[in-house]
Amino acid sequence: MSVLTTIEEIRAKARDGLAEVRNDAELETWRVAVMGRKSPLMSALRSLGKLGPEERKEAGRAANLLKTQLDQALEEKRETLGRARIEETETAGRIDVTLPARPLPEGRLHPVTQTQRDIVDAFVAQGFSVIEGPEVELEYYNFEALRIPADHPARELMDTFYIDRSGDTDSKLLLRTHTSPNQIRFMENNDPPVRIICPGRTYRNEATDPSHEWMITQTEVLAVDEGLTLAHLKGTLFELAKRLFGRDRKVRFRCDFFRFVEPGVDMAIDCFLCGGKGCRTCKKEGWIEILGAGMVHPEILANMGYDPDIYTGFAAGLGVERIAMLRYGVDDIRHFYENDLRFLRQF
Ligand code: PHE
């Protein structure tokens, strides 16, 4: 077989092989096979010496030409592969500006927090200031100072979580059962006139049901000044009810009893679910109580150094969850603290 034929065969094989090359590694394998020291082309070049002068000239030219062509083909392929690689990374990182934006997850306020803030706003608009007090409270502020001494039956109305401080009997600690201790804390340190509200969490060892939880949010209201009457109390709370529920909602006041007020009242709103007919949520009453209130007991005013012949006051304690239930039509208070996102996302 002549050298020229061999060279033609090498050329054809090399061309086919190169067409299959898809990356740099394959290209290197191809180069070694086609132009490496042990390649057929190199042995052909080495064998030229054995040929006669005429034949050697012709075959030499052909072999060298092939070598140049293969070098060139190698360079071209290398460039093509490089360009393909760049294009690929560019396409992968390309941004499609016409794609619609993905929605960002959006946080929001808990329905009880929203209601709490609206309540605060309603009182701030009427000239009240916001104060806060401790959730872990001394028994004295939660009970004694509010005319609820130890062993008094009124204590049984509030099943209390005590904090165990074994052996230490002087100052019992408890989780406050209402926000009323802040009335005492404030009056101890401030002279009249007083106009404060105190929002916060309160705790009672309650069996839970659709309208009771062992932790609820209250907002305490206290106003003390010369000449305040039950009419001021009603006017202030009507204004709150109007702001929160609109003018159409019915409001009911009834006599109630709390040791620290005289007289005492409670305020209820007609049930949002049954419209007053009576259902599971309002316990067949048609009304949902949202707050206790009354005129501050003169004995408490006197204990705080306020002259009860000059000053009178009114106080109220609002149940924020109950109010949120009425506003949003939530039929079970326990939904608020189960942290079920399907519930919370609705507000
Ligand atoms: N602290 C009372 C309660 O939680 C409510 C209340 C507050 C009643 C202020 C009268 C005056 O039951």
Side-chain angles (χ1 to χ4, degrees):
M1 201 179 12
S2 84
V3 179
L4 286 176
T5 324
T6 313
I7 286 175
E8 273 323 301
E9 269 173 20
I10 293 173
R11 170 179 283 120
K13 258 205 191 138
R15 201 195 304 116
D16 292 351
L18 191 60
E20 313 241 298
V21 165
R22 273 178 315 268
N23 55 45
D24 290 345
E26 284 176 14
L27 186 60
E28 179 59 11
T29 312
W30 176 86
R31 188 193 65 79
V32 172
V34 172
M35 293 185 277
R37 270 190 303 120
K38 292 178 187 161
S39 63
L41 176 60
M42 286 307 158
S43 24
L45 281 170
R46 274 194 296 273
S47 68
L48 289 177
K50 292 180 206 143
L51 302 173
E54 271 309 303
E55 218 185 338
R56 187 194 312 156
K57 207 171 161 195
E58 199 179 345
R61 201 185 300 121
N64 279 318
L65 177 64
L66 176 58
K67 174 86 173 54
T68 320
Q69 287 170 338
L70 289 178
D71 279 338
Q72 211 176 330
L74 176 70
E75 250 350 279
E76 273 169 20
K77 188 73 180 184
R78 202 170 263 153
E79 256 174 51
T80 316
L81 286 176
R83 243 180 284 122
R85 207 169 39 232
I86 290 171
E87 220 162 87
E88 203 175 294
T89 40
E90 275 184 351
T91 328
R94 195 171 290 160
I95 294 166
D96 181 354
V97 291
T98 66
L99 270 184
R102 285 188 203 109
L104 286 176
E106 187 183 282
R108 64 200 77 193
L109 293 176
H110 191 280
V112 172
T113 308
Q114 291 181 30
T115 303
Q116 177 77 281
R117 290 194 180 180
D118 291 339
I119 291 169
V120 167
D121 288 349
F123 285 104
V124 167
Q126 298 187 74
F128 287 74
S129 315
V130 180
I131 62 144
E132 282 185 303
E135 286 178 35
V136 174
E137 184 54 283
L138 287 165
E139 191 181 36
Y140 167 76
Y141 288 107
N142 196 82
F143 289 127
E144 270 92 359
L146 290 164
R147 304 184 65 252
I148 312 172
D151 304 323
H152 193 280
R155 285 238 177 152
E156 271 158 41
L157 294 173
M158 298 179 176
D159 202 344
T160 309
F161 290 115
Y162 283 91
I163 290 172
D164 184 16
R165 299 207 299 173
S166 316
D168 188 351
T169 46
D170 277 355
S171 52
K172 269 199 193 159
L173 280 179
L174 45 76
L175 294 180
R176 66 180 175 196
T177 58
H178 50 175
T179 42
S180 299
N182 297 296
Q183 295 184 26
I184 307 298
R185 286 183 173 275
F186 190 84
M187 286 192 281
E188 258 182 2
N189 296 312
N190 296 275
D191 292 327
V194 174
R195 252 192 240 111
I196 52 151
I197 58 169
C198 175
R201 293 181 162 182
T202 63
Y203 304 84
R204 289 182 204 180
N205 189 11
E206 298 260 8
T208 62
D209 68 27
S211 48
H212 293 86
E213 258 291 8
W214 57 270
M215 190 279 292
I216 63 156
T217 315
Q218 285 195 343
T219 300
E220 193 74 13
V221 182
L222 176 68
V224 184
D225 207 342
E226 290 181 45
L228 287 185
T229 69
L230 200 63
H232 294 102
L233 164 65
K234 283 178 87 173
T236 308
L237 296 178
F238 268 141
E239 175 64 22
L240 170 78
K242 247 188 322 194
R243 276 175 173 259
L244 290 178
F245 303 113
R247 287 172 184 277
D248 298 337
R249 208 84 209 206
K250 283 189 221 139
V251 175
R252 182 193 72 181
F253 279 95
R254 280 198 319 194
C255 290
D256 203 341
F257 179 77
F258 303 95
R259 288 279 298 171
F260 37 96
V261 291
E262 181 56 38
V265 296
D266 65 51
M267 186 172 114
I269 306 277
D270 59 328
C271 179
F272 61 94
L273 262 193
C274 59
K277 279 197 231 70
C279 67
R280 174 173 167 262
T281 299
C282 62
K283 295 227 190 77
K284 307 245 182 293
E285 294 213 355
W287 297 92
I288 296 184
E289 249 177 58
I290 59 166
L291 62 88
M295 300 306 291
V296 180
H297 200 289
E299 202 176 290
I300 292 181
L301 292 177
N303 286 344
M304 295 298 116
Y306 291 19
D307 185 344
D309 291 329
I310 302 175
Y311 293 103
T312 50
F314 65 80
L318 288 73
V320 180
E321 285 81 0
R322 295 263 183 99
I323 293 172
M325 287 169 78
L326 285 161
R327 293 182 91 193
Y328 300 120
V330 174
D331 65 356
D332 194 320
I333 194 172
R334 293 168 292 192
H335 289 317
F336 288 125
Y337 301 112
E338 276 165 358
N339 284 334
D340 186 334
L341 287 177
R342 290 169 304 177
F343 172 78
L344 293 174
R345 284 207 177 103
Q346 300 176 76
F347 300 94

